[in-house]
Amino acid sequence: MYGRTSQRICNHDLTGRTFEKTCANIEQSKYQTKLRCQDKSTCQMLIDNQIFTDPCGSTIPKHFEVHYRCIDKEQICSKLFANCSKSRDIRCIQRIQEDFSCSCPSNICRYNNQQIIGFVENVCLEEHLQGFHWVKTPINTSQSRSCPSPCHGKISRFCQSNHQWSKANYTNCECPIKQSDQLSTHRQANGYVFQCNFWLINRL
């Protein structure tokens, strides 16, 4: 802010003098300061009427006031962009880009010729996999499907924060095995072991 908003600030030489007028040039002051100081670790500015339009007139002494924060720009930008995406507010994104000089990432904003045209949907897309239909699902959400007959239980998949489906989890599927099937499996396994041992003896 460049102007006069208080009788007390920068008035040590004019103790007995009062100013009838309160005046400030906030928007231009902010713009000029950002041009010279934004994203810098240190900053120096010469304050005079050649840089800032005089909002008070030559008879009123003026002061310059800056409020600033030292930030991790990448961290704060990502949080602010995420908040904007919740409200689907493109103007909110544009204000952040102007204020912090950072670009909206492609996992939040959709672009066309470098212009923001909307927001990326926070979903995993519809998918057909191994005979199962997985519908479009919000991120950080799971879906389940019934195990194929004669098994029972649920097959599950998780929509991850990177908009990708996890691998299908079949561990909750329980499949009954008949006694005859178990005996047949044992016979096949024993026969295979015998063939392997016979081959190994011949090799030795």
Side-chain angles (χ1 to χ4, degrees):
M1 186 285 303
Y2 178 59
R4 170 61 60 180
T5 58
S6 171
Q7 304 290 335
R8 298 179 181 179
I9 300 175
C10 299
N11 197 18
H12 56 279
D13 292 331
L14 302 168
T15 307
R17 183 175 175 184
T18 58
F19 307 105
E20 298 176 357
K21 188 175 183 181
T22 298
C23 43
N25 189 341
I26 296 175
E27 288 304 319
Q28 191 202 24
S29 302
K30 182 178 178 182
Y31 173 76
Q32 293 293 345
T33 306
K34 284 178 62 178
L35 285 180
R36 292 162 174 79
C37 299
Q38 189 85 338
D39 298 327
K40 295 182 179 179
S41 57
T42 61
C43 175
Q44 290 185 344
M45 292 182 63
L46 175 65
I47 309 303
D48 62 21
N49 290 333
Q50 293 181 348
I51 296 177
F52 303 105
T53 302
D54 187 346
C56 304
S58 59
T59 60
I60 297 179
K62 292 158 282 290
H63 59 269
F64 183 67
E65 186 175 341
V66 179
H67 294 258
Y68 68 94
R69 287 185 295 169
C70 181
I71 63 170
D72 181 335
K73 189 171 72 170
E74 290 186 5
Q75 185 179 40
I76 196 169
C77 282
S78 62
K79 289 181 179 179
L80 292 173
F81 285 137
N83 288 337
C84 292
S85 68
K86 292 177 183 177
S87 59
R88 320 304 279 180
D89 187 351
I90 293 180
R91 286 179 296 179
C92 173
I93 295 288
Q94 293 169 340
R95 287 194 298 271
I96 293 168
Q97 293 186 142
E98 291 171 1
D99 289 344
F100 295 97
S101 303
C102 49
S103 298
C104 184
S106 58
N107 65 329
I108 292 180
C109 294
R110 288 192 298 118
Y111 287 86
N112 183 18
N113 295 326
Q114 299 183 339
Q115 295 292 323
I116 299 175
I117 58 173
F119 292 91
V120 174
E121 286 190 272
N122 288 324
V123 297
C124 292
L125 297 178
E126 179 182 14
E127 187 174 273
H128 292 270
L129 179 70
Q130 299 174 340
F132 293 96
H133 176 212
W134 302 93
V135 297
K136 185 166 67 173
T137 301
I139 62 171
N140 299 322
T141 305
S142 60
Q143 286 279 352
S144 62
R145 297 291 179 270
S146 296
C147 301
S149 180
C151 305
H152 60 273
K154 293 290 184 180
I155 305 166
S156 61
R157 291 184 85 186
F158 187 73
C159 177
Q160 303 171 113
S161 57
N162 62 355
H163 306 90
Q164 298 295 318
W165 284 104
S166 67
K167 291 183 178 179
N169 181 0
Y170 292 87
T171 56
N172 291 322
C173 288
E174 296 182 5
C175 304
I177 300 177
K178 295 180 181 178
Q179 187 67 25
S180 59
D181 292 338
Q182 289 180 338
L183 292 173
S184 175
T185 300
H186 286 312
R187 291 193 192 99
Q188 290 176 4
N190 289 331
Y192 179 73
V193 170
F194 175 79
Q195 291 175 14
C196 290
N197 289 337
F198 185 75
W199 176 86
L200 181 60
I201 291 170
N202 285 338
R203 294 287 292 179
L204 294 174

